[in-house]
Amino acid sequence: MYARITGVGGYLPGSPVSNDDLVRRGVATSDEWIATRTGIRARHLAEGACASSDLALEASRRALEAAGMAASGLDLIIVATTTPDFIFPSTACLLQGKLGNAGAMAFDVQAVCGGFVYALNVAEKFIRSGSHKTALVVGADVFSRILDWRDRATCVLFGDGAGAVVLTASDAPGIIATAARADGSRHGILAVAGQVCGGQVCGDPFVRMDGQAVFKFAVRVMSEIALECCDAAGISPSAIDWLVPHQANIRIIESTAKKLGLSMDKIVVTVDRHGNTSAASIPLALDAAVRDGRIRRGQKVMLEGVGAGVTWGAVLLQY
């Protein structure tokens, strides 16, 4: 029994906000500074009361449509998010209500930028066990709500968005190998250390990052986790048709590809269009490559991500 992706969907709110737009909004930066260091040219920012569940709803509808399935057919919903609508109930339950599904198991996963890969790991185990047949796995974040727009080292990096996949039990090959890891001793290199206590915000409510430490760690573990999945599947990295990495920084993506011996022609890159959308970045990139025809049925695809925690993971699948 395999867990096979039968539908993908993505959603970006509003119009693109370019690097020059950020300058006009008062951020002390430039298009050249951002683009040369990160590869980011634009991002999308949710407005008003738009929440993670709203973004997730649009991406989910598109994934369900691609799968030819109604929401009532789902028996598992997992949402990976760092920016839930509420402290509780979960964003997954809110999404379930908006989709009109009743009775499916629904819960959130919090592994920041590694969240989608973590959620896909979990969903695959439910399906492989035989307890569930059809799962909706979503990555959705409204990171703009936790950015300090005076801190150009972080605010220019992130955007808002959602991506989703439908997983279905199948005899045909689907997810072949998975791996996920964490190292909590490194929690300080990327964090939002604030919390709500007694109705007040306690601590720092904004994203803070040690950019160099994150870069070095990400390049190392992204290649290691991909090799771990390849070893589990008994293939070499050269057998991968497409690598879909977390879309955080073009330099991290290029360094990972080099370590794996893969040409950039095999790497799906969308970071220039939407920046780092946290848990949404991998499914957004996957959706783009499926819809434009690059990723085709039967091809081997590696998804991999790394996020605060520190968390990291990978999924090798036959699309």
Side-chain angles (χ1 to χ4, degrees):
M1 182 68 69
Y2 292 96
R4 187 167 180 260
I5 293 178
T6 54
V8 297
Y11 179 72
L12 294 165
S15 301
V17 177
S18 70
N19 296 335
D20 287 332
D21 289 334
L22 291 185
V23 175
R24 284 190 284 270
R25 292 183 182 198
V27 179
T29 188
S30 69
D31 176 68
E32 180 184 13
W33 191 92
I34 299 170
T36 56
R37 288 164 175 78
T38 69
I40 298 169
R41 294 287 183 180
R43 73 283 298 143
H44 290 248
L45 305 176
E47 296 183 356
C50 181
S52 290
S53 68
D54 297 315
L55 304 183
L57 176 62
E58 295 302 323
S60 298
R61 283 173 171 166
R62 295 176 186 187
L64 287 165
E65 181 181 8
M69 177 180 296
S72 59
L74 298 168
D75 53 18
L76 175 63
I77 300 171
I78 306 177
V79 175
T81 185
T82 305
T83 55
D85 293 27
F86 308 134
I87 292 177
F88 68 83
S90 72
T91 303
C93 284
L94 297 175
L95 173 62
Q96 181 186 38
K98 292 178 179 182
L99 285 170
N101 174 282
M105 184 179 186
F107 60 92
D108 289 355
V109 168
Q110 215 285 44
V112 199
C113 301
F116 181 77
V117 171
Y118 262 53
L120 208 54
N121 266 262
V122 173
E124 188 259 354
K125 302 301 183 292
F126 273 93
I127 290 176
R128 288 289 293 269
S129 75
S131 65
H132 293 70
K133 300 298 183 184
T134 308
L136 175 67
V137 182
V138 186
D141 271 306
V142 188
F143 239 64
S144 60
R145 308 280 163 80
I146 54 174
L147 297 177
D148 181 353
W149 291 99
R150 299 164 299 179
D151 179 9
R152 74 168 187 172
T154 57
C155 72
V156 301
L157 305 178
F158 298 93
D160 305 331
V165 302
V166 174
L167 280 182
T168 305
S170 174
D171 293 331
I175 293 178
I176 302 167
T178 64
R181 300 281 180 266
D183 182 357
S185 69
R186 299 175 185 268
H187 67 273
I189 66 175
L190 178 57
V192 177
Q195 59 177 300
V196 176
C197 180
Q200 302 294 321
V201 175
C202 301
D204 189 344
F206 297 123
V207 175
R208 304 300 179 193
M209 179 176 67
D210 180 340
Q212 285 298 315
V214 170
F215 180 91
K216 292 177 182 178
F217 186 81
V219 169
R220 177 171 65 83
V221 300
M222 290 270 274
S223 57
E224 289 177 351
I225 204 75
L227 290 172
E228 183 177 340
C229 272
C230 287
D231 288 344
I235 67 170
S236 69
S238 62
I240 297 171
D241 293 297
W242 292 101
L243 176 66
V244 185
H246 171 46
Q247 306 291 312
N249 183 306
I250 190 62
R251 291 181 178 180
I252 294 175
I253 294 171
E254 290 172 343
S255 297
T256 301
K258 184 176 180 180
K259 280 181 171 288
L260 294 173
L262 296 177
S263 163
M264 285 300 293
D265 292 340
K266 286 189 168 187
I267 316 300
V268 177
V269 178
T270 58
V271 67
D272 56 315
R273 304 179 219 169
H274 54 64
N276 183 346
T277 52
S278 191
S281 83
I282 294 172
L284 278 170
L286 177 64
D287 178 60
V290 168
R291 291 182 185 271
D292 68 20
R294 278 177 289 174
I295 293 179
R296 302 185 301 276
R297 286 296 176 191
Q299 292 183 325
K300 286 185 173 61
V301 181
M302 177 77 76
L303 315 177
E304 60 171 356
V306 57
V310 181
T311 64
W312 65 102
V315 172
L316 177 64
L317 58 92
Q318 183 166 314
Y319 185 76

